[in-house]
């Protein structure tokens, strides 16, 4: 990676990069122009907790090109570690901004994942928002291994520069880690990024928290109120906070 390599903070062994949304777009452009395949991840506390019990997920997050800090919990943890990160970069915001860059530069974009029809609707709305955007494919597909061959063939035929995958973590990120190497094309680079519920938000299937709620750092609470089944997943956040504080104490004792 060239001069744009940002500072990294390790939270419970998972690297998170100190980038702004604009810097993440500049690094994406470098990746596409350099050739080869590259992967970004949007790291939130749930990612970090999943990585504690799934070594292959932690290993993947240690070799991705860029891990953006997607969640106030990650910003809080970085402050506890004494290495504050400048801003939250939400996956859906980064995806939308990357589509604007793609429209400017003539890159093709592929949307993989979410429920049938959602990626198509998200693509239509992205084209309205980013005139000139070339969406070369959409497919709901599934992260199941038996579907991978067909999906890889579709993506290779469409030949995108940007591949957004919405299967939720860790499935989307592990899928990319396994299959991106088979998607390498001569002539241009490809960037793959797992985006969780981003297609649902862009398509309007799920509503995002209002800006003022996002600014207060309470988007997680808004999602919990709208999708109460998430409470079990969000219990991981309590354990996350506890582990971060325990690690901070251990570090202070060593100093
Ligand atoms: N999803 C999918 N196939 C699956 C599992 C999930 O397409 O086998 C999609 C689901 O429809 C949703 C996205 O993956 O669009 C995950 O959304 P979620 O809100 O759970 O992700 P998060 O943002 O919490 O990571």
């Amino acid at each position: 990676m060239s001069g744009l390599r940002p500072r990294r903070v390790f939270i419970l062994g998972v690297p998170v990069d100190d980038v702004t949304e604009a810097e993440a777009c500049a690094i994406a452009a470098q990746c596409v122009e350099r050739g080869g395949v590259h992967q970004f991840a949007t790291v939130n506390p749930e990612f970090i907790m999943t990585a504690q019990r799934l070594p292959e997920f932690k290993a993947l997050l240690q070799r991705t090109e860029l891990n953006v800090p997607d969640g106030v919990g990650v910003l809080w943890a970085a402050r506890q570690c004494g290495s504050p990160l400048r801003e939250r970069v939400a996956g859906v915001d980064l995806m939308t901004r990357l589509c604007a860059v793609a429209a400017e530069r003539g890159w093709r974009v592929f949307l993989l994942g979410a429920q049938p029809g959602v990626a198509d609707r998200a693509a239509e709305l992205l084209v309205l928002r980013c005139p000139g955007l070339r969406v070369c494919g959409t497919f709901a597909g599934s992260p199941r291994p038996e579907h991978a061959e067909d999906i890889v063939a579709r993506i290779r035929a469409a030949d995108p520069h940007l591949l957004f995958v919405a299967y939720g973590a860790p499935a989307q990120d592990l899928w990319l880690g396994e299959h991106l190497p088979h998607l390498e094309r001569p002539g241009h680079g490809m960037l793959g990024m797992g985006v969780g519920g981003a297609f649902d938000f862009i398509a309007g299937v799920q509503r995002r928290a209002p800006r003022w709620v996002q600014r207060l750092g309470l988007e997680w609470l808004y999602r919990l109120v709208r999708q109460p089944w998430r409470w079990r997943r969000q219990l991981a956040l309590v354990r996350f906070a506890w582990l971060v504080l325990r690690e901070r104490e251990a570090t202070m004792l060593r100093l």
Side-chain angles (χ1 to χ4, degrees), residues 7-141:
R7 185 175 64 89
R8 303 203 111 174
V9 178
F10 282 80
I11 302 171
L12 303 177
V14 173
V16 184
D17 292 298
D18 184 27
V19 277
T20 62
E21 203 177 273
E23 288 166 358
C25 287
I27 294 170
Q30 246 192 5
C31 290
V32 171
E33 275 152 23
R34 195 164 74 235
V37 289
H38 309 270
Q39 184 171 351
F40 283 10
T42 60
V43 173
N44 63 28
E46 279 184 49
F47 275 56
I48 295 174
M49 290 312 289
T50 306
Q52 306 307 302
R53 60 177 171 80
L54 269 189
E56 69 266 36
F57 188 45
K58 189 186 252 184
L60 173 82
L61 293 172
Q62 288 169 344
R63 60 173 195 272
T64 37
E65 190 86 27
L66 193 77
N67 293 336
V68 301
D70 183 0
V72 287
V74 173
L75 298 196
W76 170 84
R79 274 198 307 277
Q80 300 306 312
C81 301
S83 301
L85 296 163
R86 282 169 295 162
E87 69 177 40
R88 174 182 177 212
V89 180
V92 58
D93 294 330
L94 180 57
M95 175 182 164
T96 309
R97 187 140 170 195
L98 282 172
C99 285
V101 176
E104 272 165 31
R105 296 186 178 228
W107 297 342
R108 290 176 296 277
V109 173
F110 196 109
L111 269 53
L112 173 67
Q115 294 304 303
V118 175
D120 297 306
R121 182 69 188 136
E124 282 166 17
L125 293 170
L126 282 168
V127 170
L128 287 179
R129 218 185 281 181
C130 313
L133 179 67
R134 295 156 73 189
V135 179
C136 61
T138 59
F139 189 49

Side-chain angles (χ1 to χ4, degrees), residues 97-204:
R97 187 140 170 195
L98 282 172
C99 285
V101 176
E104 272 165 31
R105 296 186 178 228
W107 297 342
R108 290 176 296 277
V109 173
F110 196 109
L111 269 53
L112 173 67
Q115 294 304 303
V118 175
D120 297 306
R121 182 69 188 136
E124 282 166 17
L125 293 170
L126 282 168
V127 170
L128 287 179
R129 218 185 281 181
C130 313
L133 179 67
R134 295 156 73 189
V135 179
C136 61
T138 59
F139 189 49
S142 107
R144 295 163 69 107
E146 60 270 31
H147 297 151
E149 198 181 316
D150 167 50
I151 295 174
V152 166
R154 284 172 188 257
I155 298 170
R156 282 178 70 85
D159 194 20
H161 300 75
L162 299 182
L163 169 61
F164 297 111
V165 184
Y167 289 146
Q172 59 195 14
D173 308 277
L174 292 170
W175 193 95
L176 278 167
E178 186 175 347
H179 301 293
L180 259 184
H182 306 294
L183 292 166
E184 184 151 0
R185 309 292 283 190
H188 66 83
M190 186 195 292
L191 172 66
M193 181 166 93
V195 292
F199 299 178
D200 297 339
F201 291 131
I202 294 168

